Amino acid sequence: NAGVTQTPKFRVLKTGQSMTLLCAQDMNHEYMYWYRQDPGMGLRLIHYSVGEGTTAKGEVPDGYNVSRLKKQNFLLGLESAAPSQTSVYFCASSYAGVPYEQYFGPGTRLTVT
Amino acid sequence: GDSVTQMEGPVTLSEEAFLTINCTYTATGYPSLFWYVQYPGEGLQLLLKATKADDKGSNKGFEATYRKETTSFHLEKGSVQVSDSAVYFCARGSQGNLIFGKGTKLSVKP
């Protein structure tokens, strides 16, 4: 039981490049989330999904897109990376009945130069 | 809007010292309240929770009591260990999502 896994762990992009972060969970959770963590800012919700094929915007969605084609996977895309997107990205998942009890992945550290 | 405010860190304590990390929340409704912990290099883990007023959440020697009258959910531990060094986040539920405080870094020295 791997829990929540994220790929890759580290990535460096140049401004304007694109990339996709992959999150996978093996707990059969209905809900999945993407957060970014910045120094002094805590965690901020980017996008979330309450089920396969359904996504919604969080607090800071601009510059990101997401897809949930399979229940166990949640992808976060950056179409044209900007230095302001330098951050640590965390994926999380939860059961629908207890959405606040979230299980987090280990994070992806992204640097945009 | 809904928000959570927690004391700024970093907090540095000696082993076996008493720990308090203050947390207050905006009083919109009666939210569920949480403490999450992030150990170095890892994702967040749920530490404890309380879902209604006067509830006390507890886990691993940590405690927090849901105080509606002061809109607070302060984290306490009677005797910290070096292994408790981490970043602690207070959070509240809000319309199906979590709203986190900015985090408080705790360092415990032997």
Side-chain angles (χ1 to χ4, degrees):
Chain A
N1 191 341
V4 180
T5 58
Q6 293 183 231
T7 309
K9 287 185 170 50
F10 302 94
R11 185 73 186 268
V12 178
L13 288 179
K14 294 188 188 306
T15 298
Q17 289 184 319
S18 63
M19 77 164 294
T20 300
L21 281 66
L22 171 63
C23 175
Q25 53 94 5
D26 62 1
M27 296 173 281
N28 203 33
H29 285 166
E30 293 86 3
Y31 292 5
M32 296 187 74
Y33 314 82
W34 276 107
Y35 293 91
R36 59 178 290 171
Q37 183 179 32
D38 302 294
M41 299 293 291
L43 271 77
R44 293 180 292 170
L45 183 65
I46 304 171
H47 286 281
Y48 63 100
S49 168
V50 298
E52 191 175 315
T54 302
T55 63
K57 294 180 180 180
E59 181 187 354
V60 289
D62 294 342
Y64 305 95
N65 55 76
V66 289
S67 64
R68 184 124 181 247
L69 299 179
K70 294 182 178 181
K71 184 177 184 179
Q72 64 267 33
N73 295 340
F74 195 29
L75 278 63
L76 177 72
L78 285 72
E79 292 182 345
S80 179
S84 60
Q85 294 178 304
T86 294
S87 187
V88 180
Y89 291 86
F90 287 98
C91 177
S93 66
S94 71
Y95 288 114
V98 281
Y100 303 135
E101 296 183 23
Q102 297 180 9
Y103 293 76
F104 283 78
T108 295
R109 183 173 294 275
L110 174 66
T111 302
V112 183
T113 61
Chain B
D2 295 338
S3 66
V4 172
T5 303
Q6 61 181 103
M7 65 185 283
E8 302 218 358
V11 174
T12 302
L13 296 173
S14 297
E15 209 164 20
E16 299 184 2
F18 183 85
L19 169 71
T20 299
I21 301 178
N22 291 338
C23 171
T24 57
Y25 62 93
T26 51
T28 307
Y30 301 95
S32 295
L33 300 173
F34 305 85
W35 279 99
Y36 276 79
V37 59
Q38 183 181 28
Y39 298 104
E42 299 183 8
L44 279 70
Q45 305 173 22
L46 178 62
L47 179 60
L48 53 83
K49 66 178 182 180
T51 57
K52 60 183 187 298
D54 300 325
D55 264 4
K56 177 184 282 188
S58 62
N59 186 24
K60 298 182 181 181
F62 291 89
E63 292 183 340
T65 301
Y66 191 141
R67 301 282 188 204
K68 186 166 71 102
E69 62 278 9
T70 55
T71 62
S72 65
F73 192 55
H74 304 323
L75 182 68
E76 296 182 336
K77 187 175 185 182
S79 176
V80 294
Q81 305 300 312
V82 172
S83 57
D84 294 326
S85 298
V87 181
Y88 293 82
F89 292 91
C90 185
R92 61 161 285 167
S94 177
Q95 298 179 314
N97 291 318
L98 283 168
I99 295 177
F100 289 91
K102 294 183 178 181
T104 303
K105 183 175 182 179
L106 170 66
S107 296
V108 181
K109 307 297 185 188

